[in-house]
Amino acid sequence: MMSNIPKLRFPEFKGEWEEKKLSDFMTRLTRKNSNNESSRALTISSVDGLIDQGEFFKKQIASKDTSGYYLLKKGDFAYNKSYSVGYDYGSIKRLDRYEDGVVSTLYICMSLTSDTNSDYLTHYFDSMKWNKSVSEISAEGARNHGLLNIPTEAFFQTKHFLAPSSQEQQKIADFLSNVDSIITAETKILNTLQKKKKALMQKLFTQQLRFKSNDGTDFPAWEEKKLGEFCKTYSGGTPKSGTADYYGGEIPFIRSGEISSNKTELFLTEKGMENSSAKMVSKGDILYALYGANSGLCSISKIDGAINQAILCIKTKENKRFLCNYLQYQREYFYSTYLQGGQGNLSGKLVESFIIPLPCLVEQQKIADCLSSMDSLIQTQQKVVTTWQQRKKALLQQMFI
């Protein structure tokens, strides 16, 4: 029984796939940006591919002098050895967005040397099927500044199974590119809905758009209050890590990246709660992220659980959905204003000092309902995008070896 055959294959193609070394179809690129031919510093995103640092990070993190960087031309490939969640052995991406760009010499850069279909290879590298071969040359536990210890020479000796004919490679590439086009189109619809919600929030919260009461009369003027005047707040804590009987219980332990989720990765025991400052929150409470990349994100908890010190629980008799939407709308403003330039972390005291404009409860409800309708459209479209992304992931696993 032939083993070098993908699980899912177009019926007109037969025979085993060919095992090749990376060096059989790729050659290393060490072309330097010596003449400053390109000023576009690139980074590799597992989702967005090779992308301008300014676009991805909102700033350039490369050195001002990029003459020592590798110069990539459109169609060249680069391997980022940095590991991240879901990408244990980094990412290999082709430069598609721009005519040229420069990358750090920590990357391994490559170009095609054979008639292997370039589009086919971009999908192959997205399949992560090459991870097994790379894992065999990666020095276990040897990592430097988040980079895997993968010798360049050994990297080009890694083994890969490729479709033997250009016709099969082209058909696979065309099929998967069509799936990508669908994902792009559905994502565009999602982005449009998100922009519409943002524009709607702008009109509602600046009172350009006002609701009227059921009898057609105007609602009262909004009042400004500090959040601490009408809310009670508290944050939690984290049980000592490494203490086995603190973890693995039945109490969901909500961290800042999970405030809008209905599940958590960690669970605490009663003993973990008793021996830490972790505190319980209830489904329906407002959760506000205080620290890190999620700082300023706000959501209404979907579960009962415990929170750590990076989350502030907000309890109020005002409309929770109204307040949560307002906090989310003003995220950047609050973060930059109250932290004087956005340095450091937020705190419960700072959040309590936020000035919140409050309409009457009936108008709060109307605003919340209006935004919830938009949220429903966004959530439905997000499911469409996620479904197609999952289909693509499944196809990649079955169409490559």
Side-chain angles (χ1 to χ4, degrees):
M1 184 177 180
M2 292 182 290
S3 59
N4 297 336
I5 296 175
K7 293 180 180 178
L8 187 62
R9 194 178 193 184
F10 292 105
E12 63 267 35
F13 300 106
K14 308 294 180 183
E16 292 195 41
W17 281 23
E18 299 175 344
E19 180 182 279
K20 292 187 176 183
K21 294 178 182 178
L22 184 65
S23 59
D24 291 335
F25 56 94
M26 285 282 196
T27 187
R28 188 183 181 194
L29 276 180
T30 56
R31 180 201 304 125
K32 293 291 185 70
N33 190 38
S34 304
N35 299 320
N36 292 311
E37 185 175 337
S38 178
S39 60
R40 181 182 288 108
L42 305 173
T43 191
I44 288 185
S45 160
S46 55
V47 176
D48 300 308
L50 278 157
I51 185 169
D52 191 305
Q53 288 184 0
E55 185 178 347
F56 188 74
F57 296 113
K58 307 306 179 187
K59 62 180 180 180
Q60 180 169 314
I61 60 174
S63 304
K64 289 184 178 180
D65 179 8
T66 60
S67 59
Y69 282 48
Y70 290 142
L71 174 64
L72 294 179
K73 299 289 187 178
K74 194 171 188 178
D76 291 337
F77 290 77
Y79 172 39
N80 179 9
K81 295 183 285 184
S82 296
Y83 58 93
S84 58
V85 177
Y87 297 86
D88 293 345
Y89 294 94
S91 299
I92 300 175
K93 298 293 182 180
R94 183 179 67 180
L95 180 56
D96 292 326
R97 291 171 178 255
Y98 322 104
E99 291 301 318
D100 56 44
V102 298
V103 296
S104 165
T105 52
L106 293 174
Y107 289 5
I108 297 176
C109 300
M110 303 167 283
S111 64
L112 276 174
T113 56
S114 70
D115 58 358
T116 303
N117 187 293
S118 183
D119 292 335
Y120 168 82
L121 283 179
T122 62
H123 293 298
Y124 166 66
F125 289 133
D126 283 346
S127 76
M128 313 304 287
K129 289 290 188 176
W130 51 274
N131 277 14
K132 183 178 183 299
S133 187
V134 172
S135 71
E136 295 171 356
I137 64 167
S138 175
E140 187 176 353
R143 296 176 173 181
N144 181 27
H145 302 297
L147 297 177
L148 296 164
N149 187 356
I150 297 175
T152 300
E153 185 175 342
F155 176 68
F156 281 93
Q157 296 303 305
T158 54
K159 298 176 181 179
H160 307 265
F161 287 96
L162 305 181
S165 71
S166 58
Q167 293 84 357
E168 186 171 11
Q169 289 182 11
Q170 187 66 59
K171 190 153 189 176
I172 292 170
D174 290 345
F175 176 77
L176 292 173
S177 293
N178 285 337
V179 175
D180 282 340
S181 296
I182 294 171
I183 293 172
T184 298
E186 297 294 349
T187 302
K188 187 176 181 179
I189 295 172
L190 176 62
N191 292 337
T192 299
L193 288 171
Q194 290 170 334
K195 288 177 181 178
K196 284 183 177 179
K197 183 190 175 184
K198 189 174 182 180
L200 180 59
M201 292 171 80
Q202 170 76 17
K203 290 182 178 179
L204 289 171
F205 291 133
T206 59
Q207 302 180 54
Q208 295 176 47
L209 179 63
R210 291 285 305 268
F211 289 99
K212 291 185 180 294
S213 63
N214 292 337
D215 62 7
T217 59
D218 292 335
F219 285 117
W222 293 21
E223 296 182 33
E224 288 191 345
K225 292 183 179 180
K226 289 184 178 179
L227 185 140
E229 294 176 3
F230 61 93
C231 296
K232 291 183 178 180
T233 69
Y234 60 86
S235 57
T238 302
K240 186 178 180 180
S241 60
T243 306
D245 53 358
Y246 288 177
Y247 293 88
E250 297 182 354
I251 303 169
F253 188 42
I254 304 168
R255 293 173 293 176
S256 58
E258 300 167 328
I259 60 174
S260 59
S261 178
N262 59 3
K263 59 184 178 180
T264 62
E265 289 185 2
L266 297 179
F267 292 82
L268 303 183
T269 61
E270 291 290 349
K271 192 171 183 180
M273 291 292 297
E274 293 169 2
N275 289 276
S276 73
S277 53
K279 291 184 177 65
M280 292 296 298
V281 298
S282 301
K283 181 179 179 180
D285 285 342
I286 297 174
L287 302 182
Y288 191 84
L290 297 173
Y291 300 167
N294 296 306
S295 182
L297 286 179
C298 185
S299 184
I300 294 177
S301 182
K302 293 180 173 64
I303 57 174
D304 296 336
I307 57 171
N308 64 13
Q309 65 277 11
I311 299 173
L312 188 72
C313 176
I314 302 174
K315 292 181 178 287
T316 181
K317 291 182 179 180
E318 301 293 332
N319 188 287
K320 295 174 184 177
R321 287 182 296 148
F322 169 85
L323 180 57
C324 188
N325 272 299
Y326 185 77
L327 290 172
Q328 192 63 52
Y329 163 70
Q330 290 285 48
R331 179 188 180 190
E332 292 184 9
Y333 169 76
F334 284 145
Y335 197 75
S336 61
T337 301
Y338 287 79
L339 286 176
Q340 299 179 350
Q343 302 300 312
N345 296 319
L346 292 166
S347 67
K349 286 187 176 180
L350 279 174
V351 175
E352 288 178 355
S353 68
F354 290 171
I355 304 298
I356 310 293
L358 286 174
C360 68
L361 278 170
V362 179
E363 190 173 4
Q364 286 183 36
Q365 184 68 53
K366 285 182 177 290
I367 292 172
D369 289 345
C370 176
L371 293 174
S372 291
S373 296
M374 183 62 74
D375 284 336
S376 294
L377 294 174
I378 291 171
Q379 288 166 9
T380 298
Q381 186 60 27
Q382 180 64 69
K383 288 179 182 177
V384 173
V385 173
T386 301
T387 297
W388 275 105
Q389 289 171 335
Q390 291 171 342
R391 286 174 181 168
K392 169 76 183 295
K393 187 175 181 180
L395 287 167
L396 289 172
Q397 292 307 303
Q398 295 178 75
M399 296 182 75
F400 293 98
I401 301 174

